[in-house]
Amino acid sequence: MLIRTKAPLRLGLAGGGTDVSPYCDEYGGMILNATIDMHTFCTLEPRDDGQIIFEAKDLDHYFKTEACGQIEIDGSMDLHKGVYNRIVKDFNHGKPLALKMTTFSDAPPGSGLGTSSTIVVAMVYAYMEWLKLPLGDYDVAHLAYEIERIDLGLHGGKQDQYASTFGGFNFIEFWKNDRVIVNPLRIKNRIIDELELSMVLYYSGVSRESAKIINEQIANTEQKNLRSIDAMHELKQDAVLIKEAILKGNIIEYSNLLGKSWIAKKKMAKSISNPGIERAFKIALQAGAYSGKVSGAGGGGFIMFVVDPVKRVNVVNQLNKLDGKVVNFHFTKNGVRGWRT
């Protein structure tokens, strides 16, 4: 028996960074995101030989050990180890599990699409399917968040786990005491089609360590850096306005707000933008793009541009002359899924 899961990656459309503590604990955070047809995948194979094997195929990482109650976290394949440790502790009475778990992703870590968190969601869901755990969507997302941010101490926000678990377009609120409210948006298909045609997704070719950017953002909040905090206030308000623009199908208003949001986002931390990102923006805008924004923490990864559909081909051709590449995508409505084979 094999158990397979797939969890969608997401585009951060608005409000990115306001889901990071301590900002969301003090002021409340608001995020607008949408899942796309790029995924992380997990295959879980129960074993009867008392072995644990973890493989991350896309990263060429491999780990093997005797089945045990807890695996040491040592900097290698910590996501896989952290999920295993938490599942054994909370749901298997500390008793070892023997299995082989294989994962891979359509996008590399540090791409700004929430890859690492989405892999955690896919692995948690695989264990849930295997052990028949009574977990709802909020439970899965919160558990994935705790494993990554608390158990493993990896800095970051809270949106990725919820986006991947629920799927679709979501307006998500983040409050103190880990209170999260996911508001699914009912967007007409014609608006989604127009939005897809009006967006170009460009991979800069540079993966970045989001933790460094997030640490700077956290420090700015803790030190009451008014420039950074005011920028996050603006991002949060823009998330509300962008949500309304998309629901109404007003792409031009969405584009204007996205551009405004990107200017605000760059005030949150110095390393959010860099010369490579600015060059891509310059080329895209000269070719006919209205505006753009980096997805995720910034510093590299994927950049989304809003364009006039008539000028889309020209924008794509010009961006493809740079070091990165344009990636075709579609929005999806499904969150994490699992099945047995």
Side-chain angles (χ1 to χ4, degrees):
M1 176 189 70
L2 298 176
I3 295 167
R4 301 194 200 276
T5 60
K6 61 184 296 189
L9 301 172
R10 62 96 187 106
L11 286 179
L13 300 177
T18 68
D19 59 323
V20 178
S21 296
Y23 178 85
C24 63
D25 302 323
E26 294 186 35
Y27 306 103
M30 295 180 182
I31 294 277
L32 175 66
N33 58 34
T35 50
I36 60 175
D37 57 351
M38 297 174 68
H39 297 83
T40 62
F41 301 87
C42 175
T43 296
L44 189 156
E45 180 182 0
R47 298 176 67 91
D48 56 12
D49 61 356
Q51 298 289 311
I52 296 171
I53 298 175
F54 296 143
E55 278 193 273
K57 287 289 188 180
D58 50 337
L59 303 176
D60 197 26
H61 291 170
Y62 180 89
F63 172 81
K64 182 177 181 179
T65 188
E66 295 287 331
C68 55
Q70 292 284 288
I71 304 173
E72 180 185 1
I73 304 299
D74 59 3
S76 175
M77 301 197 74
D78 283 352
L79 294 180
H80 297 67
K81 295 172 181 176
V83 174
Y84 174 88
N85 288 346
R86 186 64 177 270
I87 293 294
V88 167
K89 174 178 173 287
D90 285 4
F91 302 105
N92 207 49
H93 309 289
K95 298 177 182 178
L97 293 168
L99 70 141
K100 179 179 181 181
M101 178 165 279
T102 306
T103 60
F104 63 94
S105 173
D106 287 334
S111 61
L113 302 181
T115 304
S116 297
S117 299
T118 304
I119 287 174
V120 173
V121 168
M123 291 191 289
V124 167
Y125 207 83
Y127 282 107
M128 187 189 83
E129 289 283 332
W130 180 28
L131 302 176
K132 296 182 171 58
L133 304 179
L135 301 177
D137 287 348
Y138 277 98
D139 300 318
V140 170
H142 183 69
L143 179 58
Y145 161 76
E146 285 197 336
I147 291 169
E148 193 173 5
R149 305 293 179 234
I150 299 175
D151 296 359
L152 297 176
L154 301 174
H155 289 174
K158 301 176 181 178
Q159 67 158 314
D160 299 343
Q161 297 87 353
Y162 288 87
S164 182
T165 301
F166 282 81
F169 284 80
N170 290 296
F171 184 77
I172 311 177
E173 304 170 51
F174 303 90
W175 306 99
K176 63 181 179 180
N177 300 321
D178 285 337
R179 180 168 163 255
V180 179
I181 302 172
V182 178
N183 303 283
L185 303 184
R186 296 178 60 185
I187 301 176
K188 294 183 180 299
N189 288 333
R190 64 174 177 80
I191 295 177
I192 294 176
D193 289 341
E194 181 69 11
L195 194 59
E196 287 181 353
L197 193 59
S198 302
M199 291 182 69
V200 171
L201 189 60
Y202 172 74
Y203 180 55
S204 65
V206 178
S207 294
R208 80 288 180 270
E209 188 178 346
S210 61
K212 293 181 180 178
I213 299 171
I214 291 167
N215 286 341
E216 183 181 349
Q217 178 186 325
I218 291 171
N220 285 337
T221 302
E222 291 175 341
Q223 296 164 11
K224 303 298 182 182
N225 182 314
L226 293 181
R227 173 184 167 90
S228 179
I229 291 174
D230 286 345
M232 284 189 274
H233 289 341
E234 186 176 345
L235 284 171
K236 185 169 64 174
Q237 182 58 34
D238 286 346
V240 176
L241 297 175
I242 288 175
K243 175 192 69 172
E244 294 175 1
I246 290 178
L247 284 169
K248 294 176 181 178
N250 191 335
I251 304 300
I252 297 299
E253 178 68 7
Y254 161 60
S255 170
N256 292 336
L257 289 166
L258 191 75
K260 174 175 172 288
S261 236
W262 171 239
I263 293 173
K265 185 176 180 68
K266 289 191 286 185
K267 297 176 183 177
M268 289 164 52
K270 294 179 181 178
S271 50
I272 283 176
S273 189
N274 57 47
I277 290 174
E278 293 300 322
R279 183 171 180 234
F281 268 83
K282 181 179 179 180
I283 294 296
L285 294 175
Q286 288 177 343
Y290 294 134
S291 65
K293 186 183 83 69
V294 173
S295 181
F302 281 88
I303 307 171
M304 63 185 97
F305 293 102
V306 184
V307 306
D308 179 344
V310 174
K311 298 179 180 178
R312 177 187 176 88
V313 172
N314 189 42
V315 173
V316 169
N317 288 341
Q318 293 303 311
L319 284 172
N320 277 334
K321 292 179 181 179
L322 302 177
D323 295 334
K325 64 178 179 179
V326 171
V327 176
N328 291 324
F329 77 96
H330 298 282
F331 292 110
T332 61
K333 297 181 179 180
N334 293 316
V336 62
R337 288 182 284 176
W339 64 96
R340 295 173 181 245
T341 183

